[in-house]
Amino acid sequence: MGELQVIDPAFIQAPEHRPKPESVQANNVPLIDLSPLGAREPDLGTLESLVAQIGQACKDWGFFQVINHGVALHLREKMELVSKQFFAMQKDEKKKVARDEVKPLGYYDTEHTKNVRDWKEVFDFTLQEPMILPHDHEHREMWNQWPPHNPPQMKEVCQQYGAEMEKLGHKLLELIALSLGLERDRFKGFFEGGTTSFIRLNHYPPCPVPDLALGVGRHKDAGALTVLAQDEVGGLQVKRKSDGEWILVHPTPNAYIVNVGDIIQVWSNDKYESVEHRVKVNAERERFSIPYFMNPTHDTKVEPLDELLSSRNAAKYRAYCWGEFFATRKLSNFKKLDVENVQIYHFKN
């Protein structure tokens, strides 16, 4: 019992969801080289091979890593430095940009996943201001909150990095569209006119009971695509589709980890599946990561794409409004729910 008293019981995972002391290392989460996209005259066969690799990774894993992705290393390093500088500030300083139900962007340290508190602190910012979401039959504008003085140039660095993430996200969506047999720009229209994409800075402090708590509990990402920069400490675990085993994704220098979200699962009518993942914490070392959550406009109607349906492959989901779905999910970050949060399977036919 002594171990349980070290930390707030709100952090303690149920026994069946606690991480094992030894993680299975993933040697086979696919690592994909995007350098063909940067060629002046890309070879058709090379591009077809790249599209096939993306499709296979989405089908088998729902996760993959990319290298030679076109995002400058110096910009990523500036972003990582800004993140460390922000979280190193005194709690009172960070709380000057605290987020709540009225201002849902900014700093937060009491997030829950599946009603268990996560061992982390975060800072969220949107890429297009204001972010528009439905609220009580009206539209609500959400604005970023930036620390007034420190870290220096935080706003500028975050905006520059966000612009590069959007470029990479669209490249990846084009490859995913081609892998499904769709037109290259099939998804583009869903992201025009003000997206709900955002970036999160994550800080996972050392945890005295890493076998009882998680940095982020098991979950699937609700949006279209997530592009993650993680540091050398590592901790991301993916639930392998073949056997349900939790696999640790070993950090690859200057790579990004990409996973398809629930929206792509619905668009593809379950051909590509959004996969559960979670974050282990470390007893000795703090960890930082920076996910970019690529989300469509708030008024996007999410449903299986007509081109992928047939008499043998009927639509497996009813249409739902992304903005309403997203707003409901965000609200749950601020309060424990008596029932399960909204999930895409609630819209299953």
Side-chain angles (χ1 to χ4, degrees), residues 12-178:
I12 305 297
Q13 294 284 331
E16 65 271 23
H17 298 306
R18 293 173 190 171
K20 295 176 183 174
E22 296 301 318
S23 296
V24 179
Q25 295 279 343
N27 297 319
N28 43 358
V29 169
L31 182 67
I32 299 175
D33 185 350
L34 297 185
S35 56
L37 297 180
R40 282 189 179 177
E41 296 180 16
D43 174 70
L44 185 60
T46 308
L47 274 179
E48 287 177 349
S49 171
L50 176 57
V51 168
Q53 288 178 67
I54 293 279
Q56 201 65 47
C58 289
K59 194 164 178 287
D60 294 346
W61 281 90
F63 269 81
F64 53 94
Q65 299 189 72
V66 292
I67 55 173
N68 297 318
H69 38 66
V71 180
L73 178 58
H74 72 87
L75 181 56
R76 174 168 169 167
E77 289 173 339
K78 280 168 70 175
M79 188 69 183
E80 290 170 343
L81 177 61
V82 156
S83 175
K84 288 178 180 178
Q85 289 172 333
F86 174 78
F87 289 119
M89 294 197 304
Q90 294 295 320
K91 180 78 82 174
D92 289 350
E93 287 297 309
K94 290 182 280 194
K95 289 208 163 178
K96 288 178 181 175
V97 289
R99 69 180 224 213
D100 54 31
E101 289 184 50
V102 178
K103 297 178 291 186
L105 296 165
Y107 173 75
Y108 201 56
D109 66 351
T110 52
E111 189 157 86
H112 290 71
T113 302
K114 310 251 185 225
N115 281 335
V116 181
R117 188 171 167 188
D118 296 330
W119 190 269
K120 67 175 181 184
E121 52 181 346
V122 307
F123 178 87
D124 288 346
F125 65 94
T126 185
L127 301 187
Q128 297 187 22
E129 285 192 280
M131 181 194 285
I132 307 291
L133 283 183
H135 182 69
D136 290 341
H137 308 293
E138 296 179 352
H139 287 152
R140 177 177 171 189
E141 295 183 347
M142 299 184 185
W143 297 86
N144 288 326
Q145 300 188 81
W146 300 105
H149 306 297
N150 288 306
Q153 299 182 312
M154 180 174 181
K155 179 179 178 180
E156 292 78 6
V157 172
C158 287
Q159 289 174 335
Q160 289 169 15
Y161 184 80
E164 290 302 306
M165 285 295 98
E166 283 195 301
K167 287 180 194 171
L168 176 57
H170 280 291
K171 286 182 199 173
L172 292 165
L173 279 181
E174 288 180 357
L175 291 169
I176 290 169
L178 290 169

Side-chain angles (χ1 to χ4, degrees), residues 59 180-182 264-272 303-318 348-349:
K59 194 164 178 287
L180 288 166
L182 302 167
I264 285 181
Q265 178 168 334
V266 174
W267 280 340
S268 72
N269 208 36
D270 281 354
K271 182 168 184 180
Y272 296 162
E303 59 188 334
L305 298 177
D306 285 342
E307 302 96 307
L308 302 178
L309 302 179
S310 66
S311 56
R312 289 182 171 184
N313 186 30
K316 295 177 181 175
Y317 297 89
R318 302 185 303 279
K348 272 267 189 183
N349 281 326

Side-chain angles (χ1 to χ4, degrees), residues 156-291:
E156 292 78 6
V157 172
C158 287
Q159 289 174 335
Q160 289 169 15
Y161 184 80
E164 290 302 306
M165 285 295 98
E166 283 195 301
K167 287 180 194 171
L168 176 57
H170 280 291
K171 286 182 199 173
L172 292 165
L173 279 181
E174 288 180 357
L175 291 169
I176 290 169
L178 290 169
S179 76
L180 288 166
L182 302 167
E183 293 293 323
R184 179 191 286 265
D185 62 355
R186 180 62 177 89
F187 299 130
K188 190 177 179 184
F190 298 119
F191 297 85
E192 291 177 335
T195 73
T196 53
S197 301
F198 70 100
I199 287 178
R200 167 166 291 178
L201 310 182
N202 283 320
H203 175 226
Y204 304 95
C207 178
V209 285
D211 54 335
L212 299 178
L214 287 167
V216 185
R218 72 200 192 284
H219 68 286
K220 299 181 178 184
D221 290 347
L225 202 64
T226 304
V227 183
L228 174 76
Q230 69 166 345
D231 67 11
E232 75 285 353
V233 176
L236 174 68
Q237 291 185 311
V238 176
K239 195 170 189 179
R240 188 162 54 194
K241 288 175 68 174
S242 59
D243 59 6
E245 187 72 61
W246 286 103
I247 304 295
L248 185 69
V249 182
H250 191 70
T252 300
N254 197 28
Y256 283 99
I257 300 166
V258 182
N259 63 283
V260 300
D262 289 347
I263 289 177
I264 285 181
Q265 178 168 334
V266 174
W267 280 340
S268 72
N269 208 36
D270 281 354
K271 182 168 184 180
Y272 296 162
E273 190 180 336
S274 176
V275 171
E276 269 196 324
H277 50 287
R278 67 186 187 185
V279 175
K280 280 187 69 172
V281 281
N282 194 297
E284 288 86 33
R285 301 181 67 186
E286 62 183 343
R287 175 180 181 262
F288 297 88
S289 72
I290 306 172

